[in-house]
Amino acid sequence: MSPLDGIDRRTFLEGMAASLALAGLDGCTRRRPEKILPYADERPDGVPGEPHYYATSMVLGGYATGLLVKSYDGRPIKIEGHPGHPASLGGTGVFEQASLIQLYDPLRAGALTHRAIPTTWSQLAERFTAPRDDRGAGLRFLLEPTSSPLVGRLIEQVRERHPQARFAFTREWPSPARHYDFSRADVVLALDADFLGSGPFSLRYARDFAARRHIDRPSDAMNRLYAVDGVASVTGTMADHLLRRRSSEVGPIAASIAAELLRLRRTQVPAELVGVLQRFRGYESRFARVVAQDLHQAGASSLVLAGDRQPIAVQHLAHLLNQLLGSDGTTSWLADPALIRPPGSHTFAELISELAEVETLVILDGNPVYAAPADWELPRRISAVPESLYLGSYADETARQCHWHVPLSHYLESWGDARAYDGTVSLLQPLIEPLHGGRTLPDLLALFAGDSHPDGYRLLRHQWQTIDDETWHEALGRGLFANTALPRLAVPLDWTKTIETVAEIALPPDGLEVNYVPSPTVYDGRFANNPWLIELPQPLTKLSWGNAALLAPSTAARLGLRNEQRVQIAHHGRHLELPIQIVPTHADDAITLHLGWGRDGAEALARGVGANANLLRTSDQPHFSVGAKIRRLPGRLPLAREPGAQIQHDRPIALALSLAHYREDPSSTIEREPLPSLMPPSAAPADSPQWAMSIDLSLCTGCSACVVACQAENNILVVGARE
């Protein structure tokens, strides 16, 4: 279905209700009775109508990002970055900026239900606080990754009460975690790693990276970025040198670079490793030689990183390259992961394998029925479980399969804690009473631990009971506990394991590769009912209100495809229909499908917009796989795209020159001919105040956070796909 035809007027107006709620109706809410503290303000009570900023955190992917939230008379109205938080350094991304309107979304779940019939917390507590005869043998919990110390303690309490219960997580744990310092890196190699556009520390990485590209005078130095991109990414557009290749080719390319670097540095390494790498000597040889030479010259001031989409063998290669260059411990280092892993925890796959024997399944947040790989057939498996409970924000696909549905509180309505990617303990404090009577993840865990009347503040304060009141109030006002980052680890390179994993790299087969990537606007689907994000033009494609099959121009030409052509993509015995969009920076012989679209829950704005790429994705190849087939179908599917072109057509709109050219002729940056204009000449005096804006594209990543921030600041309404 085309996004231009997917939403009727009634549904569109329902979605607009969030903007209207944000604009007014201040008298309809009241503050929570707990004491919350404004950021950097000694006066906890202010004059009515005077704004206050409160420090809190938003958690995504298990990691906390510190925020400052502007509040008028108990109503949060604007989100900014927390300048003192290591994950934001005062910046925000599109998800943080747009999360505000989701607080006021009238389509959020508003009633606790059992088999679709409204019920009460008392009835829920009566059912689940009692001890189980099986000591928890038939009880399973499924959570998203979490770094919350409070959640970790509550899981321990649940297991004390139900010793044989097991906890599974929807994503595996990195161990140890890799950290980077782009402010010290002169040469960077990104192997299918969109570190500027996604990830728990991308805001910090973008700031540190940009700091090395700011030029004030010809003698200043700049960093240099090489990128190997399997999908069109924000990081790829920022690269000084971009190699567009299928994601399945990144491993051989990295091995080729490693072979060249070994030749240059003459480092003593096991002969078996040399033999493994020599197999790829000459693969993309010109690129490999240039990159290896530049990395070699930079030495400890270089940095190599591999994206999470790549297999463990490529991760080991990146670690090996940093070791060879001497940058390990300088621009990159290891630390314990911030995400918790309780004893006896299961992976998602292990939970799936034993789901037939589970008596009670508790799903805490996320939407696994929608987001899980298709081959797991999760809707059928969950519906067969005798009893299931779901804590979620919406009556979505997972809620539909579960017997109990508990509305989830928004983070601006919740007490809690979480760690940033570097381990810094961050606090969540509510700015408003729950608008829909929601509950938090700690509330549900406390319930299963035997607490029938959990209180969020009490639970959190008990978690940090060893902290005195003065320190606690200071941390609450600042939104974090200072100096709690996890220490660096000294982990020597395991040559045996490195050789074994690198030996698994093989040249990919020929064929069309399909890539599955979280949407840059709706993520994994959790923001698919957020009108600001649905309408936000996506980076690179400028597409909104849906997704498309992204192809390189050469691939589209070979297949006889044009923009908006309706196609069918077949893979693993499954198929998906959606339109084509051609992207100049995309790798050849590859398709990118953004996840998060094609929702089928009760969220009116999200339902039926775009196509669900999870229907093609399998558990053994969740990120990319080769062998897809694409078939042209009759007709077009119009796309909602921001008008404009992706090239300048030889017009001097954005000036570009090399660093060498600038050093040779610094005045070249100010020479510019007047652009033609449709407007009459201005009658204003030449020395009168003028408005102008310039953007340094060496620094701007094109993330579009400023677009959402402007929409939030000025309460600009969305207009819909057709407009």
Side-chain angles (χ1 to χ4, degrees):
M1 181 189 299
S2 166
L4 276 60
D5 301 320
I7 294 182
D8 58 25
R9 181 174 181 272
R10 178 184 179 88
T11 301
F12 180 72
L13 291 177
E14 287 177 348
M16 293 306 303
S19 292
L20 297 176
L22 183 57
L25 304 178
D26 291 309
C28 296
T29 61
R30 59 186 176 86
R31 292 277 286 278
R32 292 182 67 100
E34 295 95 343
K35 182 180 180 181
I36 61 175
L37 297 178
Y39 174 76
D41 193 331
E42 297 179 357
R43 299 172 296 117
D45 298 311
V47 177
E50 177 182 327
H52 281 288
Y53 283 88
Y54 291 84
T56 188
S57 301
M58 176 178 169
V59 179
L60 189 63
Y63 301 104
T65 297
L67 305 174
L68 297 183
V69 184
K70 186 178 183 179
S71 179
Y72 269 111
D73 298 335
R75 176 172 289 271
I77 65 166
K78 184 67 173 66
I79 288 175
E80 305 292 353
H82 190 326
H85 194 278
S88 65
L89 299 180
T92 56
V94 295
F95 301 133
E96 292 82 13
Q97 284 287 343
S99 65
L100 178 67
I101 200 171
Q102 217 144 346
L103 170 67
Y104 299 103
D105 188 351
L107 298 172
R108 286 168 57 197
L112 195 160
T113 61
H114 179 228
R115 297 187 182 275
I117 299 174
T119 185
T120 65
W121 178 265
S122 297
Q123 291 175 303
L124 182 76
E126 183 180 355
R127 172 66 189 90
F128 291 110
T129 54
R132 296 173 59 101
D133 294 336
D134 64 355
R135 303 180 73 241
L139 178 61
R140 295 294 181 271
F141 294 84
L142 177 62
L143 292 77
E144 293 202 300
T146 178
S147 60
S148 168
L150 171 59
V151 169
R153 180 177 62 83
L154 289 171
I155 288 176
E156 293 177 1
Q157 293 180 358
V158 172
R159 295 198 64 195
E160 289 173 1
R161 190 174 181 82
H162 308 289
Q164 296 185 39
R166 291 292 178 267
F167 287 79
F169 293 83
T170 57
R171 197 175 74 236
E172 295 186 17
W173 308 265
S175 183
R178 173 67 65 176
H179 297 261
Y180 308 104
D181 185 354
F182 289 91
S183 67
R184 303 179 66 181
D186 294 333
V187 178
V188 179
L189 170 62
L191 299 168
D192 203 16
D194 188 17
F195 66 91
L196 296 174
S198 62
F201 242 33
S202 59
L203 293 173
R204 182 188 185 101
Y205 290 161
R207 181 177 287 268
D208 289 346
F209 178 80
R212 295 297 311 276
R213 299 182 81 80
H214 185 75
I215 298 294
D216 289 322
R217 57 188 65 86
S219 59
D220 289 346
M222 284 182 65
N223 58 13
R224 185 178 295 109
L225 172 61
Y226 296 91
V228 183
D229 253 7
V231 298
S233 70
V234 166
T235 300
T237 64
M238 295 294 292
D240 301 290
H241 305 280
L242 171 64
L243 182 64
R244 300 178 295 109
R245 293 294 183 269
R246 294 179 301 167
S247 295
S248 53
E249 297 180 69
V250 172
I253 293 171
S256 178
I257 294 171
E260 290 291 339
L261 192 63
L262 277 177
R263 181 181 62 82
L264 292 170
R265 297 192 76 82
R266 302 186 183 280
T267 307
Q268 293 297 320
V269 300
E272 296 90 339
L273 179 61
V274 176
V276 167
L277 294 176
Q278 284 298 322
R279 295 183 298 143
F280 302 99
R281 183 84 183 276
Y283 194 82
E284 294 291 346
S285 58
R286 183 172 180 272
F287 182 82
R289 283 196 302 269
V290 171
V291 173
Q293 182 66 43
D294 215 354
L295 291 171
H296 170 63
Q297 292 177 351
S301 297
S302 59
L303 172 58
V304 180
L305 67 158
D308 293 338
R309 302 178 67 249
Q310 287 295 314
I312 189 65
V314 181
Q315 312 289 336
H316 275 272
L317 267 179
H319 185 33
L320 170 65
L321 286 166
N322 286 316
Q323 288 273 354
L324 295 175
L325 292 163
S327 59
D328 194 61
T330 304
T331 60
S332 68
W333 63 92
L334 296 172
D336 283 326
L339 300 179
I340 64 172
R341 185 175 185 176
S345 297
H346 286 183
T347 64
F348 199 174
E350 289 171 334
L351 173 65
I352 295 297
S353 67
E354 64 177 14
L355 210 51
E357 286 75 44
V358 172
E359 295 180 4
T360 303
L361 175 64
V362 182
I363 302 174
L364 300 176
D365 202 2
N367 185 6
V369 168
Y370 164 79
D375 59 315
W376 279 348
E377 300 180 334
L378 206 54
R380 177 184 61 81
R381 293 173 182 267
I382 290 181
S383 63
V385 175
E387 186 172 44
S388 53
L389 183 151
Y390 174 52
L391 174 69
S393 300
Y394 294 92
D396 54 27
E397 295 88 340
T398 302
R400 187 168 56 215
Q401 301 296 329
C402 293
H403 302 103
W404 297 83
H405 180 205
V406 182
L408 174 67
S409 292
H410 192 275
Y411 75 91
L412 293 177
E413 303 168 329
S414 307
W415 289 102
D417 60 9
R419 290 184 181 271
Y421 184 68
D422 72 342
T424 298
V425 176
S426 311
L427 297 174
L428 286 73
Q429 63 173 328
L431 276 77
I432 194 170
E433 186 174 3
L435 300 176
H436 298 272
R439 293 286 183 161
T440 65
L441 191 155
D443 288 341
L444 266 293
L445 289 174
L447 182 77
F448 279 88
D451 185 351
S452 60
H453 299 286
D455 174 82
Y457 179 80
R458 176 176 55 82
L459 291 172
L460 183 63
R461 189 66 185 97
H462 181 69
Q463 168 65 28
W464 301 101
Q465 59 184 325
T466 59
I467 305 296
D468 62 79
D469 286 344
E470 182 179 354
T471 304
W472 168 253
H473 289 144
E474 180 183 355
L476 195 60
R478 294 288 177 182
L480 54 83
F481 288 107
N483 304 316
T484 52
L486 296 170
R488 299 186 181 190
L489 298 176
V491 181
L493 188 67
D494 187 333
W495 291 108
T496 301
K497 188 173 183 179
T498 298
I499 294 169
E500 290 176 352
T501 55
V502 172
E504 297 174 0
I505 295 176
L507 294 177
D510 294 332
L512 194 62
E513 177 183 273
V514 59
N515 291 271
Y516 309 100
V517 183
S519 166
T521 54
V522 301
Y523 195 53
D524 59 357
R526 71 188 62 202
F527 300 113
N529 206 66
N530 187 310
W532 288 350
L533 291 176
I534 294 174
E535 189 153 291
L536 178 67
Q538 299 166 22
L540 306 182
T541 67
K542 300 306 176 186
L543 174 66
S544 63
W545 289 94
N547 57 347
L550 308 184
L551 291 173
S554 60
T555 305
R558 177 171 57 82
L559 298 173
L561 301 174
R562 302 178 64 180
N563 276 328
E564 301 184 339
Q565 172 68 50
R566 180 168 163 258
V567 298
Q568 181 190 79
I569 300 173
H571 201 32
H572 301 304
R574 301 174 177 87
H575 64 271
L576 188 69
E577 292 185 11
L578 71 174
I580 287 292
Q581 182 164 4
I582 298 172
V583 182
T585 56
H586 201 281
D588 295 336
D589 299 319
I591 306 169
T592 294
L593 301 177
H594 281 148
L595 305 172
W597 300 95
R599 298 288 312 285
D600 190 32
E603 305 101 308
L605 288 182
R607 188 172 56 243
V609 178
N612 182 6
N614 289 301
L615 298 178
L616 291 182
R617 201 164 63 97
T618 58
S619 56
D620 60 332
Q621 295 177 313
H623 303 301
F624 57 86
S625 58
V626 178
K629 304 294 183 182
I630 188 167
R631 182 166 66 92
R632 180 172 177 166
L633 298 177
R636 294 172 58 252
L637 291 173
L639 298 172
R641 289 183 293 170
E642 182 185 74
Q646 294 180 318
I647 56 176
Q648 296 186 181
H649 299 287
D650 297 323
R651 296 172 295 180
I653 299 173
L655 300 182
L657 68 158
S658 67
L659 181 60
H661 186 176
Y662 170 61
R663 286 173 172 166
E664 182 180 343
D665 182 14
S667 64
S668 59
T669 59
I670 58 175
E671 294 178 358
R672 181 169 184 164
E673 298 178 359
L675 294 176
S677 174
L678 297 175
M679 303 301 294
S682 173
D687 58 351
S688 64
Q690 304 286 319
W691 185 92
M693 180 174 68
S694 63
I695 299 174
D696 187 344
L697 297 180
S698 295
L699 309 180
C700 174
T701 63
C703 70
S704 299
C706 59
V707 178
V708 184
C710 179
Q711 190 164 12
E713 186 76 41
N714 299 286
N715 200 28
I716 299 172
L717 302 181
V718 299
V719 298
R722 187 171 296 278
E723 298 299 324

